[in-house]
Amino acid sequence: MPRQVSRLWLPRTFTLLTSTTTHTSFSWRVRILACALAVTLVCAFLPCTAFAEVLKSDIVTGETVEARGLTIAQCPSIEAESALIMTEDGTVYFERDADSYRKIASITKIMTCLVALDMGTASDLIPVSENAAEIGESSAGLQAGDIVEFQNMLLALMVPSGNDAAIALAEYYGQRILDANGGTGVLDATACVNAFVERMNAKAAELGMTNTKFANPHGLDDGEYEGDFGSTARDIATMVQYGMKNLLFRGVVSTDGCDIAVKRDGETVVITLEPTDYMLSWYEGALGVKTGHTDYAGSCFAGASKRGSTEVYAIILNSSDDSQRFYDAETCMDWLYENLVDVPLVSSAETCQMNIDGTMKTVPIVAYAAHSGWVNCTFPVTLANPDETLEVFRLNGNLTMDVTINDISGDVHAGDIVGSINFYQHNELVHTAQLMACKDQIGPNFLEGIGVWFDRFLRGFTNEPTVAKNQIIATTTILMDKTA
């Protein structure tokens, strides 16, 4: 979708200076000043996109933009220093510096949530300690002594990016880890949090996140929290892909603000959780996941969206500001959706009618298959599923096909499988489909066979063909017009 400025706030002075007036004393000098101020203010409040760019080193499905010879218009123009976009099957379509080790701020909380999901149950009641309530920075508004149900605590963690919720979860489940390992049963907040963080790192290793290290459950990285920890765009994509397989995780991260109930001083109070993921409110198909921002990490976002059957994950690290991280994600997602296209397997100028499951359908003729039982006989063949389409990535180039037709000498009936067709893109096999006969073709009987043999015998003296040749009629759909 086109970028729009939402909730643009302008000072009252701007309104006064630019409003229409009937006072003749409003001199041309003041008018010029008003125009200049207007331009300055608008530029100040509009999102900065001047540094969005396409790099020659950006990678599109395994090859650099430069090696592919892609134009700037064909690639996502973004400001993030690291980025990666992939589909839920793990196919990576775009990456920029995706293996650079960086601070990831509150994207850390994705792993906090995953470990809690591994250990928690819906009946868990999680207390909030003073240590958790006083953590500072982003907060869910929890207070010391609050008791929060498991799912509500996950919402407090992920929706407003609550550091208080992160510590409460780490202390609660860290205590369980220590108890399971022969602990004393006495709560030591630091030991509990450290045990939980160890579990976070173990989970990262389990998922194959080979360039990731966690040091706390919230992602703060300055002052007392400084240290050598971080991750990469590629590892974060792996983490998001794993998390999105969990229905509760999906539900939590896609929540665009909500109210939760907590027990406080024996009473039930309601806390309103404001979202940090603004894409949930305006991007088509947005599924949320997690924002992050610190001075060291910059503006980060791990986002997910789904349109039709295509689920996409966009990882944006160290973009220029908190608005631009969403624009970068939008640019990447839109780019992928625009270039993932469903196309018919074949295009053919010739068709025929055939009965498929009791319904007469017009089907494309892929080829005319030779019947070796006759001297000069072919019959039409089509796809076993004539309506089949294939989702392909446009920038990988046009499809090519390799048709294989079986040696056929006996009786053939409409619907019989008579061959196959392989489809290739960018020199890789992307799909295989079967071919079936469009109509019956009977082979020669005994007497007809004798006649065919004699005909072939005579043709041997004149070098005439003794059997028909397969004729390929169909072509593949044009994805990129190289002549344009």
Side-chain angles (χ1 to χ4, degrees):
M1 65 177 285
R3 295 184 183 180
Q4 298 178 344
V5 181
S6 60
R7 304 176 192 156
L8 180 59
W9 176 84
L10 296 176
R12 178 175 173 81
T13 307
F14 174 83
T15 306
L16 292 174
L17 287 175
T18 57
S19 62
T20 303
T21 178
T22 58
H23 294 292
T24 56
S25 62
F26 192 61
S27 71
W28 63 271
R29 291 185 180 86
V30 177
R31 293 176 186 273
I32 291 174
L33 178 61
C35 290
L37 180 58
V39 170
T40 301
L41 288 170
V42 169
C43 290
F45 286 98
L46 284 174
C48 176
T49 59
F51 301 105
E53 60 183 342
V54 176
L55 305 179
K56 291 180 179 180
S57 57
D58 288 345
I59 296 174
V60 175
T61 59
E63 289 186 81
T64 65
V65 167
E66 183 176 33
R68 281 182 170 272
L70 297 174
T71 66
I72 290 176
Q74 291 175 309
C75 305
S77 180
I78 60 175
E79 295 188 19
E81 292 192 4
S82 287
L84 183 143
I85 183 164
M86 77 178 193
T87 45
E88 63 181 321
D89 64 357
T91 302
V92 176
Y93 289 91
F94 174 84
E95 55 187 284
R96 170 183 292 179
D97 209 15
D99 295 305
S100 284
Y101 187 69
R102 299 183 182 279
K103 299 297 185 184
I104 64 171
S106 285
I107 288 178
T108 297
K109 294 184 175 84
I110 297 174
M111 184 58 78
T112 304
C113 185
L114 295 179
V115 172
L117 284 166
D118 281 347
M119 301 185 66
T121 63
S123 61
D124 289 346
L125 299 176
I126 301 167
V128 178
S129 67
E130 286 190 16
N131 185 45
E134 296 173 0
I135 187 67
E137 302 290 342
S138 59
S139 170
L142 303 177
Q143 296 182 12
D146 287 352
I147 304 295
V148 186
E149 294 179 356
F150 176 66
Q151 185 167 332
N152 284 342
M153 189 64 89
L154 295 184
L155 289 166
L157 173 75
M158 301 299 279
V159 175
S161 194
N163 294 335
D164 43 4
I167 291 295
L169 285 163
E171 289 178 347
Y172 184 77
Y173 291 110
Q175 179 70 54
R176 280 195 184 178
I177 294 169
L178 293 176
D179 288 346
N181 293 331
T184 62
V186 177
L187 179 63
D188 180 320
T190 300
C192 291
V193 171
N194 289 342
F196 187 87
V197 172
E198 285 183 18
R199 184 65 61 90
M200 291 169 65
N201 285 312
K203 187 70 176 181
E206 175 190 323
L207 297 182
M209 298 167 62
T210 57
N211 202 12
T212 295
K213 181 181 178 181
F214 297 108
N216 60 57
H218 40 65
L220 295 177
D221 53 25
D222 64 350
E224 63 179 297
Y225 300 110
E226 286 185 9
D228 177 23
F229 54 91
S231 187
T232 67
R234 195 178 312 280
D235 277 4
I236 293 169
T238 297
M239 181 168 60
V240 172
Q241 179 192 31
Y242 175 84
M244 292 300 283
K245 295 176 183 177
N246 184 295
L247 291 179
L248 182 51
F249 179 90
R250 291 176 74 93
V252 167
V253 300
S254 63
T255 300
D256 187 18
C258 63
D259 292 335
I260 62 170
V262 305
K263 285 290 185 180
R264 179 174 295 169
D265 298 325
E267 302 290 335
T268 298
V269 298
V270 174
I271 296 176
T272 297
L273 303 178
E274 297 290 345
T276 61
D277 180 358
Y278 299 139
M279 281 188 78
L280 282 168
S281 63
W282 56 263
Y283 188 74
E284 179 188 352
L287 299 174
V289 181
K290 193 68 194 74
T291 58
H293 180 99
T294 65
D295 289 344
Y296 288 139
S299 297
C300 306
F301 181 54
S305 65
K306 187 170 187 175
R307 294 183 187 171
S309 61
T310 304
E311 186 161 301
V312 170
Y313 310 132
I315 313 303
I316 304 296
L317 299 183
N318 198 14
S319 191
S320 56
D321 60 49
D322 284 355
S323 293
Q324 188 61 42
R325 61 184 171 182
F326 297 127
Y327 295 139
D328 283 349
E330 173 195 15
T331 297
C332 287
M333 289 177 178
D334 283 350
W335 170 81
L336 185 54
Y337 286 127
E338 289 165 5
N339 285 289
L340 282 177
V341 292
D342 269 322
V343 296
L345 291 183
V346 297
S347 175
S348 179
E350 298 188 37
T351 61
C352 68
Q353 294 284 315
M354 70 177 295
N355 189 315
I356 299 179
D357 298 327
T359 302
M360 292 301 297
K361 287 189 175 182
T362 300
V363 299
I365 296 176
V366 174
Y368 288 96
H371 193 296
S372 63
W374 299 99
V375 171
N376 188 21
C377 173
T378 61
F379 60 94
V381 301
T382 189
L383 297 166
N385 179 3
D387 298 324
E388 187 174 6
T389 61
L390 178 66
E391 184 180 75
V392 294
F393 182 59
R394 192 198 311 271
L395 297 183
N396 275 344
N398 290 321
L399 293 168
T400 59
M401 62 183 187
D402 181 19
V403 178
T404 300
I405 297 176
N406 303 336
D407 181 16
I408 300 165
S409 58
D411 293 346
V412 176
H413 301 284
D416 286 352
I417 300 302
V418 295
S420 63
I421 179 169
N422 288 333
F423 294 90
Y424 297 87
Q425 189 185 33
H426 204 53
N427 298 319
E428 292 186 6
L429 178 66
V430 294
H431 189 67
T432 297
Q434 291 184 312
L435 296 174
M436 69 177 178
C438 292
K439 65 176 187 178
D440 295 346
Q441 178 59 61
I442 306 303
N445 59 32
F446 178 74
L447 293 178
E448 289 170 332
I450 292 174
V452 170
W453 178 88
F454 187 69
D455 190 4
R456 285 176 173 159
F457 176 75
L458 295 178
R459 286 169 178 263
F461 292 102
T462 57
N463 291 322
E464 294 180 73
T466 59
V467 68
K469 292 184 178 180
N470 297 319
Q471 302 172 49
I472 310 303
I473 301 299
T475 60
T476 56
T477 303
I478 299 298
L479 300 171
M480 297 179 69
D481 187 355
K482 297 181 180 179
T483 64

